[in-house]
């Protein structure tokens, strides 16, 4: 059992984590600031893969450029069907950098369930892991498969599209 003092410390004192953010801050912008501060620091460790902030940024920029070339803009919903991996985080960040919102799809769902989610969401683009393409339902929008290590495309910083702070970033 906790004493009243221990309870106060755990529940209230250790949870005072409020931080001020600029009104116009967004996830891609905050991430870019972190990349500038610590480019070689480890950003992600997953299984036996470890990548730096600079590498994560480079890969996410590739995805963002690709999506912008496909016509993605603010209010575009991009469906995402990937297994848990570094590639999933790269894709999410790339989608956000393109100014879009993402719809996570669980690859373990039955085809019929995924078809219903895609139909109801009216997503225009589906990004999927190449190994999962056989388990995906027919899709009327644009479907692209991602390799786990995308080949170099354009790694420069994409034009991050500013979206209203109330814009959706994840749809479920």
């Amino acid at each position: 059992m906790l004493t009243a003092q221990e309870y106060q410390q755990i529940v209230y004192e250790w949870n005072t984590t409020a931080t001020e953010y600029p009104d116009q801050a967004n996830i891609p912008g905050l991430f870019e600031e972190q990349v500038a501060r610590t480019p070689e620091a480890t950003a992600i460790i997953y299984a036996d893969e470890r990548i730096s902030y600079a590498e994560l940024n480079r890969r996410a920029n590739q995805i963002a450029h690709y999506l912008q070339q496909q016509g993605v803009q603010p209010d575009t919903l991009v469906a995402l069907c990937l297994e848990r991996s570094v590639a999933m985080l790269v894709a999410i960040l790339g989608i956000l950098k393109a100014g879009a919102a993402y719809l996570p799809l669980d690859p373990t769902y039955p085809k019929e369930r995924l078809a219903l989610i895609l139909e109801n969401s009216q997503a225009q683009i589906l990004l999927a892991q190449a190994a999962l393409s056989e388990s995906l339902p027919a899709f009327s929008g644009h479907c692209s498969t991602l390799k786990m290590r995308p080949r170099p495309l354009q790694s420069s910083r994409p034009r991050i599209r500013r979206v209203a702070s109330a814009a959706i970033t994840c749809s479920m």
Side-chain angles (χ1 to χ4, degrees):
M1 298 301 281
L2 297 175
T3 67
Q5 184 180 7
E6 290 170 329
Y7 180 82
Q8 174 72 24
Q9 182 181 33
I10 292 170
V11 174
Y12 296 104
E13 293 172 23
W14 288 352
N15 282 318
T16 55
T17 57
T19 303
E20 292 290 325
Y21 288 103
D23 288 340
Q24 299 302 315
N26 59 28
I27 292 170
L30 293 170
F31 178 76
E32 292 275 347
E33 289 174 13
Q34 183 65 33
V35 172
R37 280 192 303 271
T38 59
E40 297 310 314
T42 300
I44 301 173
I45 299 172
Y46 183 80
D48 61 348
E49 190 172 5
R50 175 187 302 252
I51 65 171
S52 68
Y53 280 99
E55 178 64 11
L56 175 57
N57 193 46
R58 186 186 68 75
R59 292 185 195 183
N61 286 347
Q62 290 175 350
I63 300 290
H65 280 292
Y66 172 77
L67 291 172
Q68 288 174 345
Q69 290 167 0
Q70 300 305 310
V72 167
Q73 51 191 306
D75 297 329
T76 301
L77 186 59
V78 178
L80 184 64
C81 190
L82 300 171
E83 293 173 332
R84 288 178 189 238
S85 62
V86 169
M88 175 189 270
L89 294 172
V90 169
I92 290 170
L93 186 56
I95 291 166
L96 297 177
K97 282 182 165 223
Y102 67 95
L103 172 68
L105 299 174
D106 188 334
T108 64
Y109 282 173
K111 251 186 189 180
E112 298 78 18
R113 175 75 176 133
L114 292 173
L116 183 63
I117 293 169
L118 285 168
E119 181 182 330
N120 288 339
S121 72
Q122 298 179 352
Q124 297 172 8
I125 294 181
L126 169 62
L127 292 181
Q129 194 171 326
L132 299 174
S133 60
E134 292 298 317
S135 62
L136 294 173
F139 179 63
S140 61
H142 179 77
C143 184
S144 292
T145 55
L146 297 177
K147 293 179 174 49
M148 295 307 279
R149 289 187 177 266
R151 69 185 196 289
L153 297 171
Q154 191 173 2
S155 61
S156 63
R157 183 177 178 190
R159 192 179 110 237
I160 298 175
R161 302 214 169 115
R162 302 289 176 210
V163 285
S165 59
I168 298 172
T169 56
C170 176
S171 180
M172 295 182 93

